[in-house]
Amino acid sequence: GELPTELGNLVRMRSYLALYSNSFTGAIPTELGKLSKLEYDFSLFRTDLSSCIPTELGRLSQMEYGFSLTSDRLVSSIPTQFGNMDKMTQYFTVDVNSLTGAIPTELGRLRKLTQGLSLYSNLLCSDMPTQVEALSAGMAEWWVATGNLIGSKC
């Protein structure tokens, strides 16, 4: 079935919306952007969700650890609003999907991220934004270019 939109009503939740290895289908509800107090572990991992990533997820600006949209069937580009998650310190992963377009320069605002930037195995193109590339200095676990079309025209 579809991911319940009512999850967006959990506005006081601070941690762990982790939905691993399930059969949810359809779109990621835009209502999940209401979880603006969430700080730890927003994970939609190995689902059957096949939609665009809602820009509303950029409202999760309190996220510090563990934002993951991995091994789903997501299409579209990476929302520029993800740059609003500038408190992230570890594990920002949007990988193993079918995302297209350029890597947003706004991801360069994730300057506190010291471990785990992963965008690999998508269809991302164009040159690596210098703002994002600057994050790689001293970062453990940098998986950005592998499986993408970095350097090719979009």
Side-chain angles (χ1 to χ4, degrees), residues 3 10 14 16 34 48-50 59-61 68 71 73 84 86 93-94 102 104 106 121 123 126-127 137-138 145:
L3 201 55
L10 302 171
R14 294 194 176 275
Y16 300 108
K34 294 179 188 176
D48 286 328
L49 296 170
S50 57
R59 294 183 193 151
L60 303 180
S61 60
S68 178
S71 296
R73 297 180 183 179
N84 295 334
D86 58 359
T93 61
V94 184
E106 290 81 359
S121 200
L123 301 170
S126 85
D127 292 329

Side-chain angles (χ1 to χ4, degrees), residues 59-76:
R59 294 183 193 151
L60 303 180
S61 60
Q62 300 303 308
M63 288 296 301
E64 294 179 23
Y65 179 93
F67 180 86
S68 178
L69 299 174
T70 298
S71 296
D72 300 306
R73 297 180 183 179
L74 302 174
V75 296
S76 77

